[in-house]
Amino acid sequence: MRILVIEDDRATADYIAKGLQEDGQVVDVARDGKDGMFLAMNEPFDVIVTDRMLPGANGLSIIRALRASGIATPVLVLTALGEVDKRVEGLEAGADDYLGKPFAFAELRARIRALARRPAGPPAEQTELVHGDIRMDLLHRTATRGPRKLDLLPTEWRLLEYMLRHPGQVLTRTMLLEKVWDFSFDPTTNVVDVHVSRLRRKLEAPGEAPAIRTVRGAGYALEAAARDAAG
Amino acid sequence: MIRHSFALRTALSAAGLVLVLSLLGAGWVWRQGEAELRAQLDFTLAAEAEALVREAETLGLAGLVEQARSFGRRGSPLLVALQTVDGAPIAGGLAGASPSLLRGFATLRAEGGRGPLRALGALLPTGVNLIVASDLAPVERAAARLAWAPVGAAGLAVAAGLALGFAGARRLESRLANAGEAARGIMDGDLARRLPANPRGDEFDRLAATINLMLARIEALMAAQRQVTENIAHDLRTPLSRLRLRLEAALAAPRSPPADAATMEAALAELDQVLATFRALLRIARADSGAGRAEFQPFDLSALVAGVAEAYGPVAEDAGRQLAAMIAPGLVLSGDAALLRQSLANLLDNALLHGGPHIALRLSAGPVLEVTDDGPGIPAAERQAVQGRFHRLEASRNTPGTGLGLALVAATARLHGGALDILDGPGGQGVTLRLDLRARAG
């Protein structure tokens, strides 16, 4: 995977680049908005990570320029602590995800992976999500694991749908809170864990293989092993 | 200072304009008046000449000569002269002017320093040229007097206008000086200072009243900002010094990979807590600044509350509690959905962490949002304080939380023109937190 990192702070840029390279990614770093814009417009990348405030051209104007030229590369915007509530503005400019600084590297990695593997078509066109023996019919709103019908509450449905759209990837609590519940904050109580464990109980009947894996210190992932069960 | 006065400048321009216009007007009056007076004079000359000719017809030439001489003797403003066809004088005189044969009207140049003469000549059947003339100087004097009258009046008006303008400028200057002095006082840090405003309510007072409202808003914002700064200084210093001590101690201890890893993990957790506090503070400050009000959007409050209730139902159940939700459907509110979602989550978090076994969530028309639990409640004396930042009840010092949850709820309520009320629970047991979102005046 080839990733462009546009970040003017040298320490942060090096930290992100080093982490992603250790992950086996190819990373290009631009240190100002002008270079970033040039690279983003002229080279193919799988994901672009850009700071919001940049010398030269700011992150949002880079995104607008990309989208105006028909380049749909997923973009993740990083923002300073003081801009917690600028999320909507960023998403409206055409950013695909938004992460406030300072962040845990695991969080950034999880979000980059989720962006890189987004399905090419718009989600609305998909009528069925399948992962291993877990199957979700979006038209009839039915979910099954193998022959067994899953009886899901609305929240559990949304949670499973989101996980099925990102099979095998680590999804952090923050990502789940944002995408499933629209919570842009971290509640004091363990909302995510409670719902995941309920979904897990419904997915994993006695004798069935584990479906949701807990990634310690990071989040949850739909078990890749589930695919093996289906062959 | 008064030289650069708007009022004076206006008065001066008006005065200049009045002067120029009155001079133009005077020119016009002078021309018209002079033409009119000349026509009058011509008419008089013609009437006099006609009378003389009629007299000549009855009295003969001798009578006419006598008439001409008598005009000269009387010192009449009219001059009468009789001369032969060749210009030889017979009787009377034209005060030095000696035209040759004159028939009809003419303006003659007189000699001997007199002004020009207006003359009318007629040839009598006896071969005598009769000339009646009058001095033109009185005509011009009258025309000039006529023309200068409006200029004089305009001059008086200009003088009066300038005097009024100067007085007005002085008055304006003193009122503005008061406002300027107040503004300098505010710049020097006296944020409670306000511009002087009379109850009379003219345009300046109205402007001063508006500016005073703005100053009150700025003062409130500055106070909020100062509070955030003080909060950061006081309440973030404790965890940060703890973190420093922890790292220092770990550095001094002999290296041991498992112990180092444990220290780093604990340090990260502590740091994350500091950052969470920081974020919450910024969010409260932003809500208190009212900055989001311009971006308020109408949204389905009932659906939002139902969504949060659905997220918290299982959490309550797993904690051995009961969450009962009564949500009036279809309530739409124009506001900040993200902040309201977080406020409701904070109220439910609080009820779960500090409250009793039964939690009730109620959304009713208004909209009014209530979270009630039958736990230990909040003592009446602390109900105001818990809405401030970092205030925690003694009993809950050791439960998780930043001490900012209710502060955010209160700030969100204020942002939406409402209030957070803390009441006794039903039957005096527990507590009800009521987020009243009915927009209040002011």
Side-chain angles (χ1 to χ4, degrees), chain A residues 178-194:
Chain A
E178 278 175 18
K179 316 289 175 187
V180 178
W181 285 277
D182 215 1
F183 280 14
S184 54
F185 54 91
D186 193 7
T188 319
T189 45
N190 52 345
V191 173
V192 175
D193 303 323
V194 166

Side-chain angles (χ1 to χ4, degrees), chain A residues 135-153:
Chain A
R135 190 175 289 269
M136 204 172 200
D137 185 337
L138 297 175
L139 282 182
H140 301 101
R141 292 195 74 80
T142 55
T144 53
R145 181 166 193 194
R148 188 166 60 86
K149 191 168 178 299
L150 298 172
D151 185 18
L152 300 177
L153 294 173

